Amino acid sequence: MSSSTHNVWIFEPSGGEALVFNGRSWRTITVPEDLNPGVVLGASNVWGTTGSTCTGGNDATCSTTVWHWNGTSWASSQVNGLYQGFTGAGSHAWLLILTSLRRFSSGDPTGAPVLYQSTGGTLAKVTAPGQRVWDFASLAAPPGGQLWMLASPGYNRNATLLFHWTGRTWTHARVPATVSSQPLSLDSALTYDDHNGVWAGPYAHWTGTKWVNAFQISSMPGDDSFALGGVAVIPGSSSIWSVGWVGRSASNHTQDSLIAVYGGTP
């Protein structure tokens, strides 16, 4: 994760420390155990969480522990709700949680979305969409202050809505099941496209006016089996990069690492 080429953070999967590059050299920083990194906004502005603790049955009550790095030390705070995700842009981070939970014991609860925005090292509530959604909602933000949220509405688990905060109001629209006569493959992880929309994983692109089905692979080696994970936008372009794996052959199940690009190659 990074905010610039002079501030790159690599978090150890097992937790406990992070490697930080300042443009010239690497150093090791101790991080809270089991930290789930959220956003890196600057060398002295990093957010993460160690998850939610919940008690009760179907109508459980949850508390989420949030951590902030100020450049010299970590400080923790508590917010009420089930953690969904962080997003960040410019100098601000946004935290999405769910409160007023229902069906928690099922492992697939619904809740009322609550949003927090950071100012410095503090969090304050901001306006959130007014309808219940299912667990695993996600956020994306551009530097200008808009927000997008992808979630299934509480009344229909099989539907997906894209919510948009214009800076004044929230609007939402249903995401189509198919685009260009092909199924639209969604991932709950949203990424701002550096223009007017978002990517919902590596295959579904909302341009700000329409959905584009990006599941178009020209050719693949081996047995043509592959998978892509997270995406990274190339600033100032319409291209994105993704990493994943590709099968070498159908007989030995060997997989090779894969780097994919959609759009022009810079």
Side-chain angles (χ1 to χ4, degrees), residues 5 104 121 125 128 152 164 218:
T5 56
F104 185 79
K125 285 185 181 180
S152 293
H164 181 216
S218 57

Side-chain angles (χ1 to χ4, degrees), residues 156-249:
N156 186 353
R157 188 69 173 96
N158 296 319
T160 304
L161 301 179
L162 182 65
F163 297 82
H164 181 216
W165 171 252
T166 65
R168 295 184 178 182
T169 60
W170 281 98
T171 62
H172 66 269
R174 185 162 177 165
V175 180
T178 61
V179 174
S180 301
S181 302
Q182 297 294 325
L184 187 65
S185 179
L186 297 173
D187 189 305
S188 60
L190 284 180
T191 303
Y192 171 54
D193 70 358
D194 203 43
H195 293 282
N196 300 303
V198 288
W199 285 85
Y203 306 121
H205 181 204
W206 171 250
T207 67
T209 58
K210 65 179 181 179
W211 283 97
V212 174
N213 194 335
F215 192 83
Q216 301 170 15
I217 306 298
S218 57
S219 63
M220 299 293 288
D223 63 350
D224 287 340
S225 64
F226 72 97
L228 298 178
V231 299
V233 174
I234 302 173
S237 78
S238 298
S239 300
I240 64 165
W241 292 68
S242 183
V243 294
W245 59 264
V246 58
R248 186 176 296 178
S249 73

